[in-house]
Amino acid sequence: MSKITMGDQVFVYPMPVVLLGTMLDKRPNFMTVGWISRVNYKPPLLGVGIGKSHASCDGILEKGYFSINYPNEDMIGPTDYCGIFSGRDVDKSGIFRLFFGETGAPMVYESSLSVECNLERTIDLGSNYLFLGSVVQSYTEGIYLTEGKLDIRKMLPLLLTMPDNSYWSVGEKLGDAWKIGTGYSKEEKQ
Ligand SMILES: Cc1cc2nc3c(=O)[nH]c(=O)nc-3n(C[C@H](O)[C@H](O)[C@H](O)COP(=O)(O)O)c2cc1C
């Protein structure tokens, strides 16, 4: 076997980068998150893995809601800042233009997509909480859509790889999912 072992600190590759919005008492706060995934279809649920020491945990547990905001490539600087400095030490409320929807969670106006969630369940995993959020509403703008659907070429989201800790942009479209495989046959493999 010519495989090289990489240990247990290799996970999802790559990850999306989002800004998680919470209210710390009455102050909006944003933290950078890579550990996020869609985890259920009906009801629509998102899961985020958040270190217990982060101020955002206090906001989520106290208020029962949070938001997920997709930064675009231009927002790489402030996005990284929100992942370095804690709301316990700095006021991150003025970094972005804010808007609010139905839950009370602060959202980032400059984001291509914002999703507000109610806290559905909290699972204590040890170092982190897994917060499951039920999606209440999502917000975008016409400039990010093509024929009514979100267009990743217009959103220009950030991707993250760990443990090399690097940001990346999205590459080219390769094919249509749930379609290109229909023409595959095992004989083609050679
Ligand atoms: C690119 C990037 C991704 C991150 N992803 C996560 C994550 O998924 N979960 C987590 O707990 N912390 C993550 N962090 C660290 C937090 O964003 C960071 O500790 C932040 O300061 C916490 O903010 P808060 O204390 O205001 O909540 C990430 C940081 C960066 C730079």
Side-chain angles (χ1 to χ4, degrees), residues 8-20:
D8 64 359
Q9 292 303 303
V10 175
F11 299 97
V12 179
Y13 213 85
M15 292 173 256
V17 179
V18 299
L19 291 159
L20 183 144

Side-chain angles (χ1 to χ4, degrees), residues 15-189:
M15 292 173 256
V17 179
V18 299
L19 291 159
L20 183 144
T22 50
M23 292 298 288
L24 298 185
D25 194 12
K26 293 191 173 84
R27 197 181 79 209
N29 188 67
F30 294 95
M31 78 168 268
T32 311
V33 167
W35 301 2
I36 175 169
S37 183
R38 173 183 179 170
V39 295
N40 200 51
Y41 173 43
K42 280 186 185 172
L45 296 178
L46 295 176
V48 285
I50 307 299
K52 286 181 181 173
S53 64
H54 300 325
S56 298
C57 289
D58 303 351
I60 295 172
L61 291 169
E62 188 193 321
K63 306 287 185 185
Y65 53 68
F66 61 89
S67 72
I68 297 298
N69 305 269
Y70 286 76
N72 59 43
E73 290 177 8
D74 291 343
M75 296 161 69
I76 189 170
T79 297
D80 199 48
Y81 178 93
C82 289
I84 299 169
F85 299 101
S86 172
R88 297 195 199 290
D89 307 315
V90 299
D91 178 357
K92 296 189 264 188
S93 65
I95 297 174
F96 307 106
R97 282 173 70 194
L98 304 179
F99 74 101
F100 292 85
E102 300 173 27
T103 61
M107 288 179 277
V108 176
Y109 195 84
E110 296 90 334
S111 281
S112 57
L113 176 65
S114 295
V115 182
E116 59 176 336
C117 299
N118 277 325
L119 180 61
E120 176 79 18
R121 207 176 301 170
T122 302
I123 301 168
D124 186 337
L125 296 175
S127 59
N128 288 42
Y129 288 120
L130 173 62
F131 293 118
L132 300 183
S134 57
V135 176
V136 172
Q137 191 53 275
S138 56
Y139 305 84
T140 188
E141 291 170 54
I143 54 168
Y144 302 113
L145 300 176
T146 298
E147 295 176 357
K149 289 182 184 157
L150 285 161
D151 187 335
I152 202 161
R153 288 166 299 197
K154 296 176 178 174
M155 294 171 71
L156 300 176
L158 293 171
L159 300 178
L160 170 71
T161 52
M162 288 174 74
D164 62 331
N165 295 352
S166 302
Y167 294 109
W168 304 86
S169 59
V170 171
E172 293 303 308
K173 175 175 174 173
L174 296 178
D176 290 317
W178 281 278
K179 201 169 174 187
I180 197 161
T182 56
Y184 171 79
S185 73
K186 276 194 218 162
E187 287 69 43
E188 270 179 45
K189 210 175 161 190

